[in-house]
Amino acid sequence: VGTQSVTLERKEKWYAKDCVLAHSMLSGILPSYQGCGIREDLNEAVDQWIDQSGADMIWAGTAEDNKIVRKLVRKRGYIDVDYIASKGTNYYSVIFVKWLKENPFTDDYCNKRFRRARFWTRFRYKPGKVERFRTIAFVTRVIAKLKSIIKR
């Protein structure tokens, strides 16, 4: 009817220094059972397991345009912290975290970091062509072009 999985891991990200993270992934709910409260039941069971695991925070991610999931995770206390484009995907993704202990950052700081990540990810990657523009020469040319456009 529905599945959800959790892994424990460490990440070297600004929001997760020296932390144990629980990565919660909702794999799916059969269409005929959607809207019956199964997602909430799965989330409760996973939250209980995570509480016993000793994790410092939970992280999850979804496609940027998946408004349903984004609304659900925000409702559950998660905040946007990162914005990524992965090789082989044709979309941008949003990463959320929920601190299980005290959040060491203000919401304003997290929001600024998220907006910065979104700007740079969109600048460096294009959906469907997730090739990173690695050269400094390229970035320098783009910045010069932007400056000339702004001056007009």
Side-chain angles (χ1 to χ4, degrees), residues 14 79-80 106-116:
W14 69 266
I79 60 171
D80 300 352
T106 65
D107 287 351
D108 186 49
Y109 179 76
C110 293
N111 188 31
K112 285 178 184 173
R113 292 292 301 246
F114 173 76
R115 288 193 328 257
R116 187 174 93 178

Side-chain angles (χ1 to χ4, degrees), residues 128-146:
K129 296 166 87 175
V130 186
E131 284 181 35
R132 191 171 185 168
F133 303 124
R134 295 174 191 249
T135 65
I136 293 173
F138 172 80
V139 173
T140 305
R141 285 195 310 270
V142 169
I143 290 171
K145 179 87 171 163
L146 289 171

Side-chain angles (χ1 to χ4, degrees), residues 8-13 16-21 56 59:
L8 295 178
E9 55 193 44
R10 289 191 178 273
K11 282 184 168 287
E12 285 302 316
K13 297 289 189 178
K17 297 283 184 200
D18 300 319
C19 292
V20 175
L21 286 85
D56 298 299
W59 80 273

Side-chain angles (χ1 to χ4, degrees), residues 52-147:
Q52 296 168 2
S53 74
D56 298 299
M57 67 175 65
I58 307 170
W59 80 273
T62 191
E64 176 187 34
D65 60 357
N66 191 339
K67 292 181 170 97
I68 293 169
V69 170
R70 290 182 72 186
K71 184 178 177 180
L72 287 171
V73 295
R74 285 196 185 109
K75 200 171 172 181
R76 295 188 65 227
Y78 289 73
I79 60 171
D80 300 352
V81 292
D82 209 355
Y83 190 91
I84 61 171
S86 302
K87 288 188 179 215
T89 62
N90 195 25
Y91 54 86
Y92 298 111
S93 295
V94 176
I95 304 299
F96 326 95
V97 298
K98 177 180 178 181
W99 279 270
L100 301 174
K101 299 174 180 162
E102 189 175 333
N103 179 349
F105 309 103
T106 65
D107 287 351
D108 186 49
Y109 179 76
C110 293
N111 188 31
K112 285 178 184 173
R113 292 292 301 246
F114 173 76
R115 288 193 328 257
R116 187 174 93 178
R118 184 176 57 201
F119 172 82
W120 284 111
T121 300
R122 286 180 171 267
F123 179 73
R124 292 182 180 147
Y125 300 96
K126 300 298 173 215
K129 296 166 87 175
V130 186
E131 284 181 35
R132 191 171 185 168
F133 303 124
R134 295 174 191 249
T135 65
I136 293 173
F138 172 80
V139 173
T140 305
R141 285 195 310 270
V142 169
I143 290 171
K145 179 87 171 163
L146 289 171
K147 285 181 179 177

